[in-house]
Amino acid sequence: MAIRKIVNKSDPVLHCKCKPVEKFDERLHILLDDMKETLAKAQGVGLAAPQVGIRRRAVIIDIGEEESEMIELVNPVILKRSGRQRDVEGCLSCPDEWGYVVRPAKCTVRAQDRNGEFFEMHLEGLACRCACHELDHLEGKLFLELVDEFVELGDEA
Ligand code: NI
């Protein structure tokens, strides 16, 4: 495994739509393992492939509940969203920028695992917020455009 460089918001890779993952091969597994290590080192809650310069639909979320198992979502789609939550978000690609974003309170995500098997997950709270944020990265969208109120430095989100 290796730590990959997290690109900054000015990098064009963060502003375009990512392509689906088509090959569930060793190369994907290395990417996912590297993303996990990179996320752990950065102490974030989520990381999308374009943030390490790869224009493919893969994200890692660390929901940080009892087991700090990170979840790999390949080609994820949100099937259902409900409710509303407003809280402070940040992004590893936008250091020192924080702001309030409204997200669904709960969502159901369908994705593939590293071997291409489909599964569904029900997420709520921070995990739901994190998944929504990371999935936006796959569309080339940054949380900054959703912020309704910027806040001074904090360590939330
Ligand atoms: Ni982000």
Side-chain angles (χ1 to χ4, degrees):
M1 297 212 282
I3 305 280
R4 302 211 184 186
K5 183 177 182 286
I6 297 177
V7 303
N8 187 275
K9 66 174 180 180
S10 61
D11 195 300
V13 73
L14 289 180
H15 301 274
C16 49
K17 198 173 154 101
C18 296
K19 297 178 210 159
V21 170
E22 284 160 353
K23 290 182 189 160
F24 296 82
D25 57 6
E26 181 68 16
R27 203 170 162 197
L28 173 68
H29 299 174
I30 291 170
L31 170 66
L32 292 168
D33 289 341
D34 286 356
M35 284 172 64
K36 285 183 181 174
E37 196 176 350
T38 304
L39 178 59
K41 169 120 189 296
Q43 298 185 308
V45 291
L47 188 69
Q51 291 183 277
V52 294
I54 305 294
R55 203 182 299 179
R56 290 285 176 178
R57 305 184 78 83
V59 311
I60 304 290
I61 62 173
D62 183 354
I63 57 175
E65 309 252 319
E66 286 174 17
E67 59 211 80
S68 69
E69 181 87 346
M70 295 188 188
I71 297 162
E72 305 171 352
L73 301 173
V74 179
N75 297 327
V77 288
I78 295 177
L79 296 180
K80 211 160 79 179
R81 31 191 123 209
S82 64
R84 179 184 186 276
Q85 57 169 318
R86 180 177 179 271
D87 210 337
V88 175
E89 276 184 33
C91 177
L92 294 172
S93 294
C94 314
D96 304 334
E97 290 184 275
W98 306 86
Y100 282 92
V101 177
V102 173
R103 300 282 189 187
K106 299 178 182 182
C107 66
T108 304
V109 175
R110 177 173 161 85
Q112 283 165 281
D113 68 14
R114 60 169 58 204
N115 299 311
E117 293 297 320
F118 283 93
F119 64 97
E120 283 184 21
M121 274 191 89
H122 184 69
L123 300 169
E124 40 185 278
L126 178 61
C128 173
R129 167 175 301 283
C130 180
C132 293
H133 175 119
E134 301 311 327
L135 266 68
D136 278 351
H137 275 300
L138 305 182
E139 303 302 321
K141 195 161 149 187
L142 294 178
F143 85 105
L144 296 173
E145 58 189 273
L146 300 174
V147 168
D148 61 46
E149 182 189 352
F150 283 92
V151 295
E152 290 302 308
L153 269 192
D155 1 64
E156 289 144 284

